[in-house]
Amino acid sequence: MIEKIKKRMSGDKEAITPKSQSRIRKLQRGSKSGPVFSSCGDNVGAMLTAHDRRPEKVRLGSEWIHVSALVKGDCLRAVQIAAKEDLKALEKPRAADRLLWCIGKAVEAHIRESFITMYGRENVLGQWECKCGNLHYQGVGTEERCDRCEGLATKYFEYHILNEETMLSGSPDVILRSGPQAPWTVAEIKSIKVVPKGGVRTSAPEFHTLMRPSRDHSLQVLAYQRLLRMNGVDVTDEVLVCYGAKDYVMQSPYKFFTLDSEAEENVMALQHLMDLGREYKEALRTEVLLARSHLCPSCTAPKAKSCPCVGSCFSRNH
């Protein structure tokens, strides 16, 4: 900007008026409200936003159903079609969404790493990897060293659950025990927004007003516990849901809730999820498509129009 002004006025000394000189000095030192930047910052911002909004291919179906898909109420007919036809969709998140996800993941990673440090790797069930990636195993952390880098497998990844009876899969955030002979406790970690005083509140959960875990988070961690028990893992009846605030708060930034998996309402909800999983497994075995959702009476229904499998779904008579 400064060079443009000087170039425009070059060759004409009288053209550089006191007003022009004042403008040049203001641009050089910045205004009272802050420095004046060139359009370079705008270009970089636009590039970063475009990078964050880059479309990503997402595989829609699998023979295994993730617990979270059932909890959210995903259409199993669509999952079955997508798995059979290997359908993919393009997701294009907003830059603000991607940044917020990063904040949430950082909060959750901090809580998870704190649990691992407090309990010790020998009391945490997960996947472990050394720094060079050569040594990798699932289970509790051990003192085994890598043949290549001679380091311990201290890098943590979530334990992966596969249950063949229901075709359900899942990855709890962390699975802990109080000692070598103690049963395992499944914990799910979630980050949650903080609405400032006077801020706009929505229907989404908010840290200060949270009095109990959300239904989806409760079902998710309870389902993980049930699948582990079905796979022969000794787990406690209680599960843990931990929330971390995604902003500064004066009081504790954590909220913890325990749930009893044997409570009647939880047993009934879990039984329904397991039955859905068995129904899906049977549909895969017989190669018979599951029934269409009641939310999709026609291909013009709002739910159907937003489904990437709508063409394949309504091209079939059943």
Side-chain angles (χ1 to χ4, degrees), residues 65-74 169-170 190 216 220 223-224:
I65 314 170
H66 197 277
V67 164
S68 60
L70 280 188
V71 169
K72 290 185 296 183
D74 287 2
S169 67
K190 301 293 182 182
D216 286 3
Q220 190 173 349
Y224 290 151

Side-chain angles (χ1 to χ4, degrees), residues 222 225-226 229 237 259-267:
L222 287 165
Q225 185 259 20
R226 174 63 63 87
R229 179 168 284 173
D237 288 339
L259 301 168
D260 183 3
S261 63
E262 296 304 309
E264 183 178 357
E265 64 272 20
N266 293 335
V267 171

Side-chain angles (χ1 to χ4, degrees), residues 12-13 17 24 30 66 77 93 114 118 122 124 132 146 153 161 170 182 197 213 220 225 243 269 284 289 293 309-310:
D12 186 358
K13 292 183 179 179
T17 63
I24 292 172
H66 197 277
R77 178 182 172 92
S114 298
M118 290 186 299
E122 68 278 6
V124 177
C132 77
C146 173
I161 306 170
K197 189 175 182 180
Q220 190 173 349
Q225 185 259 20
Y243 289 96
L284 288 180
L289 271 179
S293 169
C309 302
V310 61

Side-chain angles (χ1 to χ4, degrees), residues 214-227:
S214 75
R215 172 191 172 277
D216 286 3
H217 299 162
S218 300
L219 279 178
Q220 190 173 349
V221 69
L222 287 165
Y224 290 151
Q225 185 259 20
R226 174 63 63 87
L227 293 176

Side-chain angles (χ1 to χ4, degrees), residues 258-318:
T258 55
L259 301 168
D260 183 3
S261 63
E262 296 304 309
E264 183 178 357
E265 64 272 20
N266 293 335
V267 171
M268 293 177 62
L270 285 174
Q271 188 60 49
H272 176 63
L273 290 182
M274 299 302 120
D275 288 344
L276 287 175
R278 294 184 182 98
E279 185 180 348
Y280 180 76
K281 179 182 178 180
E282 182 63 15
L284 288 180
R285 187 186 68 80
T286 59
E287 297 186 352
V288 174
L289 271 179
L290 291 165
R292 191 175 291 121
S293 169
H294 70 279
L295 298 174
C296 301
S298 71
C299 60
T300 58
K303 184 73 173 177
K305 287 195 291 186
S306 64
C307 177
C309 302
V310 61
S312 298
C313 180
F314 282 91
S315 66
R316 303 163 191 262
N317 295 325
H318 57 283

